[in-house]
Amino acid sequence: MSETIKILTIQDISCYGQCSITVALPVVSAFGIETAILPSAVLSTHTSGFTDFTVRDLTEDLPAIKNHWEKEGIYFDAIYTGFIASMEQLDYIKDIIDSRLKPDGLVFVDPAMADNGEFYNGFDQEFADKMCELCKLGDYILPNTTEACYLLHKEWKEEFSKDEMLEMAEELSRFTKRYVILKGDTHKENEMGMIVLDKAESSCEFVYNERIDYLSHGTGDVFASAFVGSTMVGKSPTSAAKVAGEFTKKAIEKTIGDENHKYGVKFEQVIPELYELLDSY
């Protein structure tokens, strides 16, 4: 029997709202991967669409958790980061990657800090500049166009041309060991796309899924988690992007029509289709 793949995901727990760890843990686990968690913070709800939410910053807990894992000899095949609660945590996370990742392990960085042209509550350009340092440890980085613009000190706009997307992806390649997955290409009518750039091979490919005009929270986490899981079970980055894009689209489709479900997408209902998607791509 082959050894179980073990992944650590570092991001917040939103007690209500389908995002971050409450998405990553079930989705990555559904690939047959043992998924450990390291919460960066505990929030009463996620930060979009809610007011007066509570936040418990867990920065001070991170070193003690890492030290215990060192004593127990716990290592991971991959580390996948999402919503990070503070700049100080970025330094701790770099230490965790250095200490707890296997020598041949992979790092996935989703610089979850902004969308639709704005920073999430509590983030700013100084944080984005610090996030660049974490991205440089990533074998894969998965920004949307807003995050890409903050990382690159560019002005965001609602629509980017194909050439502009390519230029951004190429500029982002200096912040990754190998792959850039740049999400949010909208230049093709009725399709939503992303760029998969491999700087080691000097290759760049566009991947598209049917575009659905429906705004919901947590879709970036759904995509990133499905991408990480697909990659860790052997899919190429392009295939993993296709699986993750289709999985996210199907989750959105399951949610349309439920006006009381604006705090995430019904990804749970699509998990049974994951293996079919893996076979398709």
Side-chain angles (χ1 to χ4, degrees):
M1 181 180 296
S2 60
E3 186 177 351
T4 302
I5 299 169
K6 296 180 181 179
I7 286 181
L8 170 65
T9 186
I10 307 174
Q11 43 193 312
D12 75 284
I13 295 175
S14 290
C15 298
Y16 186 84
Q18 294 165 301
C19 65
S20 301
I21 282 177
T22 56
V23 169
L25 180 56
V27 173
V28 177
S29 297
F31 287 88
I33 295 168
E34 182 179 332
T35 309
I37 65 169
L38 182 55
S40 59
V42 178
L43 291 78
S44 55
T45 66
H46 62 62
T47 61
S48 297
F50 296 96
T51 58
D52 301 324
F53 50 83
T54 67
V55 181
R56 173 73 68 178
D57 187 317
L58 299 179
T59 299
E60 294 183 0
D61 294 275
L62 301 190
I65 293 170
K66 185 213 69 167
N67 291 340
H68 184 222
W69 287 345
E70 285 181 341
K71 286 178 61 178
E72 296 295 333
I74 295 170
Y75 291 91
F76 300 99
D77 298 286
I79 294 178
Y80 156 35
T81 69
F83 184 100
I84 307 304
S86 69
M87 290 180 62
E88 186 180 4
Q89 284 188 1
L90 292 170
D91 289 325
Y92 286 144
I93 290 167
K94 287 188 283 184
D95 187 39
I96 290 166
I97 290 170
D98 183 61
S99 168
R100 298 296 90 206
L101 185 67
K102 291 181 180 178
D104 58 348
L106 297 174
V107 176
F108 299 82
V109 178
D110 180 2
M113 59 184 176
D115 203 0
N116 296 313
E118 297 182 346
F119 279 111
Y120 296 151
N121 185 63
F123 295 110
D124 56 21
Q125 187 60 54
E126 185 180 7
F127 183 90
D129 293 342
K130 187 77 171 178
M131 177 61 76
C132 290
E133 298 177 17
L134 181 61
C135 287
K136 288 177 181 178
L137 300 181
D139 298 280
Y140 300 80
I141 61 170
L142 298 94
N144 59 38
T145 55
T146 301
E147 291 155 348
C149 286
Y150 284 128
L151 291 171
L152 297 169
H153 288 248
K154 287 180 175 289
E155 184 176 350
W156 181 83
K157 54 186 181 179
E158 290 189 3
E159 299 286 339
F160 291 91
S161 69
K162 184 175 182 178
D163 287 342
E164 289 171 329
M165 290 290 291
L166 284 168
E167 181 181 350
M168 258 200 300
E170 289 169 357
E171 289 185 46
L172 286 166
S173 67
R174 71 179 190 265
F175 297 131
T176 181
K177 288 183 177 179
R178 183 159 184 180
Y179 296 102
V180 175
I181 315 300
L182 176 58
K183 302 169 291 179
D185 174 47
T186 57
H187 79 270
K188 287 186 75 171
E189 187 176 2
N190 300 321
E191 291 187 286
M192 177 63 74
M194 69 208 80
I195 293 178
V196 179
L197 181 147
D198 179 353
K199 74 177 190 178
E201 298 293 334
S202 299
S203 66
C204 198
E205 186 171 352
F206 281 84
V207 174
Y208 294 98
N209 298 91
E210 179 187 357
R211 184 176 183 176
I212 300 175
D213 290 323
Y214 182 82
L215 181 63
S216 186
H217 303 295
T219 51
D221 298 322
V222 172
F223 176 89
S225 300
F227 180 88
V228 170
S230 299
T231 302
M232 293 306 295
V233 298
K235 289 295 179 181
S236 70
T238 300
S239 294
K242 291 177 180 178
V243 171
E246 190 66 19
F247 181 75
T248 305
K249 179 183 79 75
K250 287 177 175 289
I252 294 171
E253 289 174 335
K254 293 287 186 182
T255 313
I256 292 174
D258 187 346
E259 293 302 316
N260 294 317
H261 202 102
K262 290 290 188 181
Y263 50 84
V265 290
K266 298 180 180 180
F267 68 88
E268 302 94 336
Q269 297 183 24
V270 190
I271 284 177
E273 301 180 44
L274 263 178
Y275 283 92
E276 180 180 329
L277 290 174
L278 286 171
D279 287 341
S280 297
Y281 299 107

